[in-house]
Amino acid sequence: QYLVELARVYSILNDFEKAESLLLSAVSADENNTDAKKMLAANYIGQKEYGKAFAIAESIALKTKQKDDYDT
């Protein structure tokens, strides 16, 4: 969780490359870390890397849909 918080600081400082590195580490450590994935998508939008942001958002949506399918 500290990686996500540190990435948040770097994002605020517009140091998107450092934020991206930390967020990728957080996601690598825990594929189910939705907060890190959301922040990574926002980070990519800040870098104008919309394709990467969309891919992350889509993966979150698919994961959420799968979870909802099990919850019903």
Side-chain angles (χ1 to χ4, degrees):
Q1 186 65 24
Y2 75 93
L3 291 174
V4 175
E5 294 305 318
L6 186 55
R8 187 181 320 275
V9 171
Y10 281 121
S11 291
I12 291 169
L13 297 173
N14 291 324
D15 192 340
F16 297 116
E17 289 178 10
K18 284 185 182 176
E20 177 184 7
S21 177
L22 291 167
L23 292 167
L24 288 172
S25 293
V27 170
S28 177
D30 179 8
E31 279 289 318
N32 295 317
N33 189 337
T34 305
D35 289 336
K37 287 183 178 183
K38 287 178 184 177
M39 190 176 291
L40 184 58
N43 189 67
Y44 284 141
I45 291 170
Q47 295 181 70
K48 296 183 174 35
E49 294 188 36
Y50 304 116
K52 288 182 179 181
F54 181 80
I56 297 285
E58 189 173 44
S59 76
I60 294 168
L62 290 173
K63 187 78 167 175
T64 303
K65 182 182 179 334
Q66 289 171 353
K67 181 183 177 304
D68 289 345
D69 289 345
Y70 288 116
D71 288 343
T72 57

